[in-house]
Amino acid sequence: MVIPAAGMGTRFLPATKAVPKELLPLGDTPALQYVIDEALGAGIDHIVLVSSAHKPAIAEYARPDPALVETVRRKGDDALAERLAGIGRDWRATVVFQDAPRGLGHAVGCAADVVDGDAVAVALPDEVMGDATLLSRMVQVCGDTGGSVVGFMTVPMEQTSAYGVIDPAGPLVDGVVPVADLVEKPAAGTAPSGHILIGRYVLTIDVFDEIASTAPGAGGEIQLTDALRAQAARSPFHGVLNTGPRWDTGTPLGFLLAAIDIAGRDPEVAAAVRAHLNSD
Ligand code: G1P
């Protein structure tokens, strides 16, 4: 799975001056690990991190560290030692670098040489899902149809201009909609539907050829959505509706809300947070 993680995290400065946004913690776990766990839950164990030379901590996080595992084990915390041991054992990482911020399509394209197989998953770490249900279903639909698949949710029309939007080719059946076309950040009032892309993709491998021939689009950047339009025009292409929890962690407020919700999954922590919020 390709995880674009080369952005400067400007919305989180000064926190992101030294610490990559993807490594900011939700509880005791970096946001990036939630995305990696989602991949593992969908049966994907090769993680391609598209990083930047300014963010060496991304590669450092993905480096197996047997000495650290041993230290934690000796302290008696086997559960934590197991979590740390998973790095490099349960998943292997390849780090590639994006030299300049030239858009999401360009970032994904940086992984072209290190990905093999018929299809590739892409996950934007600005969105955190509660589990692997959506991605697993997307992998299944890609296998069944032989075409690319995007994850989506439905929002009021006035919110569509901040996202990639699906132009459906037919009705939603069983949570799956056929896609005729897609549009990146449509101008107000022009979106073809309220079905927005939420940063999860399972794409046939020819997406890398499409990216290579995609010209800069919205914002002067090479847009992944534009590369997908070419696929949708000639191949089966579907959207899968997300029905599980999802957090938009692209802003400090969204990140805080995700941290609170995720902490709340532990009943003891939930009780303490509730008591704290209710105290004067
Ligand atoms: C990107 C994609 C967009 C998608 C969004 C989801 O936009 O280009 O199609 O809907 O992520 O988070 P960005 O948020 O990087 O502007």
Side-chain angles (χ1 to χ4, degrees):
M1 178 158 85
V2 177
I3 305 181
M8 287 179 58
T10 38
R11 278 186 278 198
F12 286 78
L13 282 168
T16 47
K17 182 167 181 289
V19 180
K21 183 180 62 176
E22 297 78 8
L23 297 182
L24 296 178
L26 292 163
D28 63 3
T29 303
L32 178 65
Q33 186 63 54
Y34 282 97
V35 183
I36 293 169
D37 288 342
E38 186 189 341
L40 291 174
I44 299 166
D45 64 1
H46 181 209
I47 306 296
V48 180
L49 299 165
V50 182
S51 185
S52 129
H54 304 292
K55 298 168 78 172
I58 295 277
E60 179 57 23
Y61 183 74
R63 185 177 64 82
D65 192 341
L68 179 63
V69 173
E70 199 37 50
T71 303
V72 173
R73 220 181 276 288
R74 250 186 283 116
K75 288 190 169 192
D77 193 339
D78 280 341
L80 178 57
E82 262 312 284
R83 286 170 70 192
L84 292 165
I87 300 176
R89 180 193 66 192
D90 300 345
W91 52 279
R92 71 189 168 92
T94 305
V95 181
V96 297
F97 294 94
Q98 186 186 26
D99 47 15
R102 295 174 56 198
L104 178 59
H106 179 260
V108 173
C110 292
D113 291 344
V114 299
V115 170
D116 45 27
D118 298 335
V120 58
V122 176
L124 309 191
D126 263 0
E127 311 236 5
V128 172
M129 305 293 161
D131 57 34
T133 307
L134 172 68
L135 192 60
S136 301
R137 178 96 170 100
M138 291 171 65
V139 168
Q140 184 192 18
V141 172
C142 178
D144 290 350
T145 61
S148 289
V149 182
V150 289
F152 77 92
M153 63 183 275
T154 307
V155 298
M157 293 301 270
E158 56 275 17
Q159 291 175 22
T160 51
S161 53
Y163 300 95
V165 181
I166 290 176
D167 182 359
L172 180 70
V173 178
D174 247 352
V176 179
V177 71
V179 175
D181 198 2
L182 304 112
V183 47
E184 181 66 15
K185 306 207 168 73
T190 67
S193 76
H195 301 334
I196 59 157
L197 307 188
I198 52 170
R200 293 297 181 275
Y201 310 80
V202 178
L203 307 172
T204 54
I205 205 76
D206 58 318
V207 69
F208 291 115
D209 298 330
E210 298 298 352
I211 289 171
S213 56
T214 297
E221 298 187 332
I222 297 174
Q223 296 293 346
L224 180 60
T225 305
D226 290 341
L228 302 189
R229 299 188 70 177
Q231 290 192 322
R234 60 171 160 70
S235 315
F237 201 114
H238 294 83
V240 173
L241 177 66
N242 180 48
T243 52
R246 165 236 177 217
W247 295 275
D248 178 351
T249 53
T251 63
L253 176 60
F255 202 94
L256 176 63
L257 299 180
I260 292 171
D261 285 350
I262 288 172
R265 295 177 143 200
D266 176 330
E268 255 178 55
V269 178
V273 170
R274 219 172 291 119
H276 177 72
L277 292 178
N278 290 336
S279 67
D280 297 324

